[in-house]
Amino acid sequence: MSNAGGSQTLLKQTAYKFGNFRLIPEAQALLYNGQPVGLGGRGFDILTLLVTRAGEVVSKADLFAHVWPDYIVHDHNLKVNVGNLRRSLAELDPATEYIATIPGRGYKFVAALESDHPAPARQVAPTKSHHIAPPRVRQLLGRDDAIRQISEKLDQPGYVTIVGPGGAGKTSLAVTVAQQSCLAGEAIAFADLSALSDPRFVVPAIASALGVSLGFDDPIAGVIDVLRGNPLLLIIDNCEHVIAMAATIVERISADVPSARIIATSREPLRTRHEQIHFLSGLAYPHQTTALSPMDALQFPAIQLFISKACGSVDAAPSGDYVRSVVSICTRLDGLALAIELAAGTASVLAPSALDDLFRDGFDTMNRGARDAPLRHQSLEATLDWSYRLLPDREAVLLGLLSVFSGRFNADDVEALYSAGALEPMTGRDALSQLVAKSLVSAEYDGSTMYYRLAESTGTYAARRLLGSPYRENARRQFAVRTRDKLQIAEREWSSQTSREWLGKYRRQIDDVRAAIGWAFDPAGDAALGVELVVAALPLWQELSAFREMLEAIDLASSNSTALVGLAPLGRTKLSTARAWAMTLARHMHPQTDDAWRESIFHANGSRDAEFQMRAVCGQAVFLAYSGRPRTALRSMNDFAVAKGLDWATAPDGKRLLAHIQIYAGELNSASAHLEALMNDWGHVKEGYGLSRFQVDLPAGIRLSLALVSWLQGDSDRASDLASRAIDRAVDLDHMISLGNAVSLAALPIAFVDGNLETASQLQLQLADVSRRESVGIYEGTATFFAGAIQSARGDKAGFTLMQDSITGLLRGSWRARVPFYRSLLAEAYIAAGEMQLAENSLRAVLGEIGIREERWWHPDLWRVAGMIEAGHARPHQAMRYFQKSLDSAVAMGAGAATKRTRLAMAAVDRR
């Protein structure tokens, strides 16, 4: 017999009797000797189909179609539910076999069966044994406040609805609140509506939960009588799919019995007069941007739940890397308890080292739910399916459209997508509000703007639903257009807002930028729109110091020559300048960087944009200085100023850069004068504007440059203070290039050369962290060099190898600036260890540096180290000649610190 035939039989029969059991399909009830039997929803569905086809073999396929329509489930789900059903029947009647397994075919109901019409039941006050008890639930973590708040609401007139997304733990919370809030002698009754397929069954389910006879003309009147006359707390679980009927019944009960203690759970509010809502979010988890120790992270309930499920105990002392991976997973899962349990179930069979890759490609592996859990809790997809199947078409369409967003979005962003899904604006707005109400979209105010967001798991699921939709390509195009338009607005605001203000508004846009560019350069996308997206996103990448990603996007745009044809000259200028910056700040400076800056200047001149002409010339000067040619850089900047009639005082970023390059050229007095003037005018500005035009925040840049020149001139205390304040400002702005420059170019070398090894060690670790976050070669090389220098200063000769390797790496990456300085420090380290020949070799290598004649700031110390080597070879007269050259050079450029170091070296030779 087909499933349709079984349904027709259900309509013809009122009840079925077998042994002392009576099955009433319309009421979703099974009675034994007149008392309700608690069966799970799946067990009841299986029993009903088997009974209606008694004596027949019912195939697994028929059972799956009847019990799990439109779902794809594993065979073990059927086996587990049939096993649970057999146990429930055997507990009451162990002598009779009711269900037989037919190997390879299915199952058969084998007991004697008779049709029965139940007589009207007498109204008898139920006893506690008639109540359907709540299921056992796990111990809750991190829900103390929720338990307290709901318990307080229970003591007030009306009922409480726990509202939250699927998997948030609403049922567990409701049962826990009931158990902890029970009054003396009060029982708990549990009505599970999840298995109902028809709103007509809501009344029988609630009545059965309280042991009220289903023969009443009005069973709810019986429910009201029970609640009025007995100490009972009623839980009505999973109302969302029969919400209209559930709301009507609960409101009637609450109106007639205001003192009734009722907890409902739903994915959306019931929206009745007596409802008190408690919105349940995910478990608390640490934000990934917050620096926490593993021990601190373990205090968060989401982390505790994952580790307890994956490892068996939070006392197992997981490693710091494992905890960091768990934090990342819990963040992606928005702290949803069910999702965390499913993830932990998957993680429990993996090596800890595999945790980072667990859900890199989505959440398909999250299917390890408890075997006795409802099907909707067996996998994350099933949980989301449950919610999705309840949506009206307009809400389902909009949910799919929203999956194009990677992060937060506002109402205007959504408005731009309505036409892609053929939604009228009013219809779309209503659908958005309903998705928020149904816990599929989260909403929060940020300032005066309401922002929306899909949890990553929900977004992944919705994207799959959109995949086969006719709206998909239009949605992705509209999304890309909207992203481009927002970025173009952002670029206009960039020069008028502070960096903090601007980044606060647009930082999170980066994920949408990536998604939109990915679509645009896809064969089905629009490359011309992609080029516009890349150009518009340049300030965001630069402000975030994301140079490697920016270069990849620029190369992608540049490879589409057809799409570039329509780009305006200023757009080409922006693209070429950004490309040159990305090449300059790469881990290994690109061999074509020199050509890239020439191209940038060419396009800037062609655009006739004075701002970009200056940016291009200054960017090229940075490249020249980094590659060991500071005097060439100065000539280029000065020639540009003369040709354009530019006074650098009107361009403070350019003036700061000019002064910094003057330091390397040995023009300390001029650099100091420029920087002091800049410090007075700009050094105390609280916020920076258009920070990324010159890659470094201006006040932070002024401080680091002034720190370097003050140190060279002999004022170490002021230098350390200025460098520290540059670091503090960069950290406050969370701008990695500003921070990396402050540490590598000023604070770290100052601390090390002055002998403050503990401070130098802390700064070296800070720079190493910046290097890991930002792929800038000079940071990596400098961090490695000083790690070795500190090691050797503490007596460990292994540091020599690190120092030499870092110099080799810097030169390989074309980072020639300061290499003579590093070779000098390496030579001193060798001298201290008595390795005079190695010291001499290191210093001789300086003579081969391309820019040794241009980079003059360390010349006095190079002569001093040469004198120390001669002294070590017992050639004091030659040593004194070198020392005198050092003094002459230091005095000529005003390098007071070098003068002091050389005099100390001379005194040491005199004492021998």
Side-chain angles (χ1 to χ4, degrees), residues 274-358:
H274 291 91
E275 182 180 36
Q276 302 178 81
I277 302 173
H278 180 90
F279 288 103
L280 183 65
S281 58
L283 293 168
Y285 55 87
H287 199 283
Q288 284 186 283
T289 60
T290 304
L292 287 177
S293 69
M295 189 59 65
D296 290 335
L298 285 171
Q299 306 310 307
F300 286 82
I303 312 305
Q304 293 172 3
L305 175 61
F306 185 101
I307 293 178
S308 67
K309 292 294 180 182
C311 306
S313 170
V314 293
D315 299 325
S319 69
D321 287 342
Y322 188 86
V323 172
R324 279 187 285 273
S325 297
V326 172
V327 169
S328 175
I329 290 172
C330 291
T331 300
R332 292 184 63 187
L333 297 175
D334 269 29
L336 291 179
L338 173 65
I340 290 171
E341 289 189 4
L342 292 170
T346 304
S348 65
V349 299
L350 300 175
S353 59
L355 204 58
D356 280 338
D357 296 325
L358 188 56

Side-chain angles (χ1 to χ4, degrees), residues 414-428:
V414 182
E415 199 93 8
L417 294 183
Y418 290 150
S419 61
L423 295 173
E424 293 295 328
M426 287 300 295
T427 303

